[in-house]
Amino acid sequence: MAIESAKAIKQNLEHNKNEDHMKLLISKMEQKLAVVKLGGGKKKIEKHHAKGKLTARERINLLLDEGSDRIEIGGFVGDGMYEEYGGCPSGGVVIKIGYVEGKQCIVVANDATVKAGAWFPITGKKNLRAQEIAMENNLPIIYLVDSAGVFLPLQDEIFPDKEHFGRIFRNNAIMSSMGIVQIAAVMGSCVAGGAYLPIMSDESLIVDKTGSIFLAGSYLVKAAIGEDIDNETLGGATTHSEISGVTDYKCDDDTDCINKIRAIVDKIGAFDKAGFDRKKAKLPAKDQEEIYGLFPRERSKPYEVRDIIDRLVDDSEFTEYKKGFGKTIVCGVARIDGWAVGIVANQRSLVKSKKDGMQFGGVIYSDSADKAARFIMNCNQKKIPLVFLKDVTGFMVGSKSEHGGIIKDGAKLVSAMANSVVPKFTIVMGNSYGAGDYAMCGKAYDPRLIVGWPTAEIAVMGGAQAAKVLLQIEVASMKAKGEKITEERKKELFDKIKNKYDSQINPYYAASRLWIDAIIDPLETRKVISMGIEAANNKPIEKPYNVGVIQT
């Protein structure tokens, strides 16, 4: 047997270390998610069950088809936020895209174990994201309502502004006019302004003895008009099903309610389709799990992005566009779970350009921006959904790039991407820094779904770079005040700034604020893209592709 070369041994060792690192990150993610899934904690869940109620996650699991694929949106929302109020796991609301009677739907369920399902500011943002997904894709939306309404200590951050609580009901009305199916089940409290949500939906259900709807509860009614009445008589299932006519279906318990929702969804007709091309799905020819070892644990290390693509696309077949030009962005067409896709991926290996010499991986140069812009235009012309595989440190800087017109070439890429009429899906694999975040379809550019691997980092720049810049400003300010700065003091300031910045660029910080929809195991990437395109296929493209005015 031939002795393995030193180079091969080193590569295998590096691969194994990368794999171990990625699996540790995934394990950490799963452990954090397990805590999140407890909502308000085991004791709150026990109290919930004692009332004869299922938890938000139990309700969703019962509603979605058994064993079917699903995507959780915003599982880590609220992570590390509102700790002075006891925290707000998952933003107090659980949202999943999944299948009910074989039909793709989005389900929104208040978690009443978290502050009685009260709405924190991030809860509002998360609910609006669910409605945005429904409107972009003509997805039926199912609300499982169990909420005490606005979290009063933070009412100024959730109640009055455009993207606050009231926007939910505005969207209810807009979605109704668009013909998007909305079903609301009142399975617990539904009070004050929140009472309008089920009634602005197409159909509403209410669970006997546990569901209630009213603008003001019995205590407030007593204080306001002096009337003595209990909540059940005021706004329970019997009242609204047999007296007011507010609700359409009265249900015996949570299970009966879920079964009635499934029966309603079962009868929904199909939407017109966008017509994205799909053939029989094939698994990648190359082992998908090798992604774990291919993606470097040290973010500064180069890697070949085509190796990643080979483990994501059907049969590992990838037809590359302009392979020899603009090498720091790799573009091409492939299939993912049968769906035709156009892939735009940052190349992180050092590459050689015949025009410009050596180019740094992960940096967008003029030629790569020009290539990607034209490829995006082609995909729009052919009605091919776009997938962005992002690991970008930004655009190239310096006199050579500026004189070469990097700004206009970058603007061309941003214009082509921003005006795209085919759906866009963004996978943040690694870095997502500065204007590179924008050009590679960051959250501000309306990707239908944007998710991150546990290795994702989103910021203006990396921690070390930012710390150096901020340190220079801090030192200059201190010197201006006549303070003497020692090397020890400089290091102390640098470490303090870097640690703070690093805490803000990790994927959980981004996920908690809904800058990304989810943190996923890289092996879930194909599922997210496939389900996303399936959802997008429910809504025909409504306008022609036009990038407007761009400088060439």
Side-chain angles (χ1 to χ4, degrees):
M1 183 183 290
I3 298 174
E4 194 173 13
S5 71
K7 184 178 179 181
I9 291 171
K10 186 176 179 181
Q11 286 176 337
N12 286 337
L13 182 62
E14 191 68 18
H15 188 283
N16 291 340
K17 286 181 177 178
N18 290 340
E19 181 178 4
D20 290 345
H21 178 69
M22 181 68 84
K23 286 184 175 179
L24 281 171
L25 291 177
I26 292 168
S27 176
K28 176 187 174 183
M29 176 186 75
E30 291 172 345
Q31 289 170 25
K32 284 176 71 72
L33 193 56
V35 175
V36 166
K37 287 180 177 180
L38 292 175
K42 291 182 179 179
K43 288 185 178 179
K44 292 285 181 67
I45 292 173
E46 289 169 4
K47 287 183 179 179
H48 206 69
H49 287 163
K51 297 175 184 176
K53 297 164 68 174
L54 300 173
T55 66
R57 291 182 181 277
E58 289 168 341
R59 288 166 175 167
I60 291 177
N61 286 339
L62 189 61
L63 176 62
L64 297 180
D65 295 346
E66 188 176 356
S68 63
D69 284 339
R70 59 211 52 190
I71 303 169
E72 179 161 356
I73 302 296
F76 290 108
V77 159
D79 182 60
M81 301 171 70
Y82 313 116
E83 291 184 352
E84 66 272 37
Y85 300 106
C88 187
S90 214
V93 62
V94 182
I95 297 174
K96 292 194 180 185
I97 300 172
Y99 300 89
V100 179
E101 295 295 330
K103 293 182 174 66
Q104 199 176 45
C105 303
I106 186 162
V107 185
V108 181
N110 300 113
D111 187 349
T113 70
V114 179
K115 292 291 186 294
W119 287 57
F120 283 70
I122 199 66
T123 315
K125 185 175 183 180
K126 186 172 175 180
N127 276 268
L128 289 171
R129 177 62 178 144
Q131 291 184 320
E132 180 181 44
I133 291 170
M135 287 189 282
E136 286 180 331
N137 302 291
N138 277 352
L139 276 188
I141 185 166
I142 302 167
Y143 308 98
L144 306 181
V145 184
D146 194 346
S147 172
V150 167
F151 185 64
L152 293 178
L154 296 174
Q155 66 85 27
D156 63 320
E157 298 179 40
I158 179 62
F159 174 70
D161 210 347
K162 180 179 178 180
E163 300 298 329
H164 283 177
F165 189 68
R167 189 77 170 181
I168 304 292
F169 315 124
R170 175 264 187 194
N171 286 350
N172 288 144
I174 297 298
M175 285 192 284
S176 184
S177 72
M178 294 170 66
I180 296 172
V181 175
Q182 299 177 83
I183 300 168
V186 180
M187 309 179 82
S189 297
C190 183
V191 301
Y196 287 103
L197 184 145
I199 315 313
M200 295 188 74
S201 298
D202 300 336
E203 293 181 279
S204 58
L205 306 86
I206 188 168
V207 177
D208 195 22
K209 302 300 186 242
T210 57
S212 58
I213 310 171
F214 35 66
L215 296 180
S218 56
Y219 292 125
L220 185 52
V221 168
K222 174 68 174 177
I225 63 173
E227 180 183 3
D228 279 311
I229 189 168
D230 63 90
N231 283 338
E232 183 65 25
T233 306
L234 180 66
T238 299
T239 294
H240 287 310
S241 298
E242 300 177 20
I243 300 174
S244 72
V246 164
T247 53
D248 304 313
Y249 303 92
K250 182 180 178 182
C251 309
D252 297 331
D253 52 28
D254 281 9
T255 301
D256 182 43
C257 185
I258 295 297
N259 288 336
K260 281 186 169 67
I261 295 171
R262 291 182 61 84
I264 294 167
V265 172
D266 180 56
K267 314 304 184 296
I268 297 173
F271 286 105
D272 292 337
K273 302 297 182 183
F276 302 125
D277 187 67
R278 191 180 199 185
K279 292 186 176 178
K280 185 178 179 181
K282 297 179 182 178
L283 290 173
K286 297 185 178 178
D287 186 356
Q288 295 178 70
E289 290 204 15
E290 289 178 353
I291 287 176
Y292 293 158
L294 291 169
F295 197 85
R297 66 194 185 284
E298 294 178 33
R299 299 304 308 114
S300 60
K301 287 198 172 183
Y303 64 93
E304 173 56 69
V305 76
R306 294 179 185 87
D307 291 338
I308 303 292
I309 292 170
D310 283 346
R311 287 153 181 85
L312 292 177
V313 303
D314 289 14
D315 210 27
S316 301
E317 290 184 354
F318 178 62
T319 305
E320 190 166 347
Y321 176 80
K322 288 184 182 289
K323 184 175 181 179
F325 180 77
K327 294 181 179 180
T328 64
I329 292 183
V330 172
C331 300
V333 291
R335 291 188 182 275
I336 291 180
D337 200 35
W339 293 104
V341 296
I343 294 174
V344 182
N346 298 115
Q347 174 63 288
R348 281 304 303 265
S349 66
L350 193 68
V351 298
K352 189 173 183 179
S353 163
K354 288 187 177 180
K355 178 183 176 183
D356 298 318
M358 294 308 295
Q359 294 183 340
F360 296 104
V363 179
I364 302 175
Y365 289 78
S366 284
D367 55 356
S368 50
D370 182 79
K371 177 176 83 171
R374 186 169 177 84
F375 178 73
I376 288 167
M377 294 177 195
N378 278 335
C379 286
N380 274 270
Q381 184 85 342
K382 300 183 181 83
K383 204 156 73 171
I384 301 173
L386 288 161
V387 173
F388 292 83
L389 300 178
K390 187 191 295 194
D391 191 355
V392 59
T393 53
F395 285 85
M396 190 59 190
V397 297
S399 60
K400 186 176 180 180
S401 291
E402 297 294 358
H403 296 169
I406 185 67
I407 294 175
K408 69 177 176 63
D409 289 322
K412 186 191 304 182
L413 171 55
V414 171
S415 294
M417 180 273 301
N419 284 293
S420 178
V421 295
V422 296
K424 306 181 292 265
F425 302 90
T426 302
I427 314 298
V428 187
M429 304 185 300
N431 301 333
S432 187
Y433 294 162
D437 173 83
Y438 300 157
M440 290 294 292
C441 197
K443 182 66 182 288
Y445 291 85
D446 300 319
R448 296 295 178 98
L449 291 173
I450 176 169
V451 299
W453 290 358
T455 44
E457 294 184 356
I458 302 173
V460 173
M461 62 183 72
Q465 294 170 292
K468 286 175 184 176
V469 173
L470 293 170
L471 178 64
Q472 290 177 41
I473 296 170
E474 182 76 13
V475 168
S477 174
M478 294 172 77
K479 283 182 177 178
K481 295 175 185 176
E483 297 181 37
K484 187 178 180 181
I485 310 298
T486 64
E487 288 302 315
E488 290 77 12
R489 178 63 174 150
K490 271 189 181 181
K491 185 179 184 307
E492 182 185 333
L493 285 170
F494 176 84
D495 290 343
K496 181 180 178 182
I497 295 168
K498 184 177 183 299
N499 290 340
K500 180 182 178 182
Y501 204 87
D502 283 346
S503 72
Q504 295 178 350
I505 67 175
N506 77 70
Y508 297 99
Y509 192 91
S512 71
R513 288 151 181 82
L514 213 56
W515 300 347
I516 54 178
D517 291 317
I519 303 172
I520 66 166
D521 182 327
L523 295 186
E524 291 188 304
T525 303
R526 280 171 54 86
K527 180 186 78 173
V528 168
I529 293 168
S530 177
M531 287 183 66
I533 298 175
E534 182 182 351
N537 201 39
N538 285 319
K539 188 172 184 178
I541 294 172
E542 296 172 346
K543 63 178 183 177
Y545 183 56
N546 184 353
V547 297
V549 177
I550 57 174
Q551 291 194 27
T552 58

